[in-house]
Amino acid sequence: MALTVCQTNVVTVQDLLADIPERLPAELFQNLLVSSQLRVERIVSRGHQTPKGEWYDQDENEWVLVIQGQAELVFDDSQPPVRLKAGQSIFLPAHCRHRVSWTPEGEHTIWLAIFFPAENEV
Amino acid sequence: MALTVCQTNVVTVQDLLADIPERLPAELFQNLLVSSQLRVERIVSRGHQTPKGEWYDQDENEWVLVIQGQAELVFDDSQPPVRLKAGQSIFLPAHCRHRVSWTPEGEHTIWLAIFFPAENEV
């Protein structure tokens, strides 16, 4: 196979800790990488939580890592809440109903989320 | 579709900044997530670099993020070297020949790497 140009001049370095708007009236969702098999997002929260009574119920699997800050997730079954700090990740299978119940005010919580098809839906 | 159990008791929280051996004679590679479409790895370096003259020439695409520490990548074409610090990511297409030319001594550089098939090989 021919050498693929590395394209580092084209696909520049992304800085996940930078370019955060001064005001964040809502959580910020940004695609970092999109392919046919997966999507990688940066999510920035600042005191946000999922509206009470609303649940994420996703067709895709999600693997999520807190890069900076902290967060708490709760689940729509008998699972206990999970507190995540910077460097911690969790796997959320498709249709695992969950919500973000807390992110701290006064600091940015930066998430890296990887979404990919559930095996039984491929 | 029936509610999938969230399995947070089974798939526990992973801490990417913890559980690093005292001594690292070689770089540490650990799978964090494996599915049919992608593989997520933690890589821990401490002053390591790819042996001189050796190049990574991978069949898969790689998206890599420095979680902690710093690193320099060089490329086997006319691309300039790229310095990455914590929070910075880069996309390395399949067969983009590259090597790690530097990670600092005296601190752990922790990488998150996502490997997934090149579109033309799916």
Side-chain angles (χ1 to χ4, degrees):
Chain A
M1 174 178 286
L3 177 69
T4 303
V5 175
C6 294
Q7 301 179 318
T8 54
N9 282 338
V10 181
V11 183
T12 51
V13 170
Q14 294 177 304
D15 194 332
L16 279 69
L17 307 182
D19 299 322
I20 298 174
E22 190 77 19
R23 295 185 61 254
L24 274 184
E27 282 184 308
L28 182 67
F29 297 86
Q30 295 168 302
N31 284 337
L32 300 173
L33 177 71
V34 177
S35 84
S36 61
Q37 303 96 42
L38 81 163
R39 189 175 78 259
V40 180
E41 277 186 9
R42 177 176 82 161
I43 306 168
V44 184
S45 315
R46 190 180 180 102
H48 300 97
Q49 53 173 275
T50 315
K52 287 202 167 58
E54 288 186 18
W55 298 94
Y56 286 107
D57 186 347
Q58 302 168 149
D59 291 335
E60 294 172 300
N61 290 326
E62 178 179 358
W63 183 90
V64 67
L65 166 69
V66 173
I67 303 280
Q68 176 186 292
Q70 322 174 50
E72 188 184 72
L73 298 176
V74 292
F75 302 93
D76 190 24
D77 61 11
S78 59
Q79 306 290 333
V82 168
R83 204 46 96 101
L84 297 174
K85 61 181 183 180
Q88 293 186 326
S89 67
I90 194 169
F91 176 63
L92 303 168
H95 300 295
C96 165
R97 288 162 57 90
H98 64 280
R99 49 187 295 276
V100 178
S101 53
W102 174 78
T103 57
E105 303 274 356
E107 67 172 306
H108 293 123
T109 293
I110 302 178
W111 314 71
L112 180 83
I114 307 173
F115 297 92
F116 57 101
E119 301 284 316
N120 57 3
E121 295 180 0
V122 175
Chain B
M1 173 178 283
L3 178 68
T4 303
V5 175
C6 294
Q7 301 178 316
T8 54
N9 282 339
V10 181
V11 183
T12 50
V13 170
Q14 293 176 303
D15 193 332
L16 279 69
L17 307 182
D19 299 323
I20 298 174
E22 190 77 19
R23 295 185 60 255
L24 274 184
E27 282 182 307
L28 181 67
F29 296 86
Q30 295 168 302
N31 284 337
L32 300 173
L33 177 71
V34 177
S35 84
S36 60
Q37 303 97 44
L38 82 164
R39 189 174 79 261
V40 180
E41 277 186 7
R42 177 176 82 160
I43 306 168
V44 183
S45 315
R46 191 182 181 100
H48 300 96
Q49 52 174 272
T50 314
K52 286 201 169 56
E54 289 187 17
W55 298 95
Y56 287 106
D57 187 347
Q58 302 168 148
D59 292 335
E60 294 173 299
N61 290 326
E62 178 179 358
W63 184 91
V64 67
L65 166 70
V66 173
I67 302 280
Q68 177 186 291
Q70 323 174 49
E72 187 185 73
L73 298 176
V74 292
F75 303 92
D76 189 24
D77 62 11
S78 60
Q79 304 292 333
V82 169
R83 203 48 95 100
L84 297 174
K85 60 182 183 180
Q88 292 186 326
S89 66
I90 194 169
F91 176 63
L92 302 168
H95 301 294
C96 165
R97 287 162 57 89
H98 65 280
R99 49 186 294 277
V100 177
S101 53
W102 173 78
T103 58
E105 304 273 356
E107 68 172 305
H108 292 123
T109 294
I110 303 178
W111 314 71
L112 181 84
I114 307 173
F115 298 92
F116 58 101
E119 301 284 317
N120 57 3
E121 295 181 1
V122 175

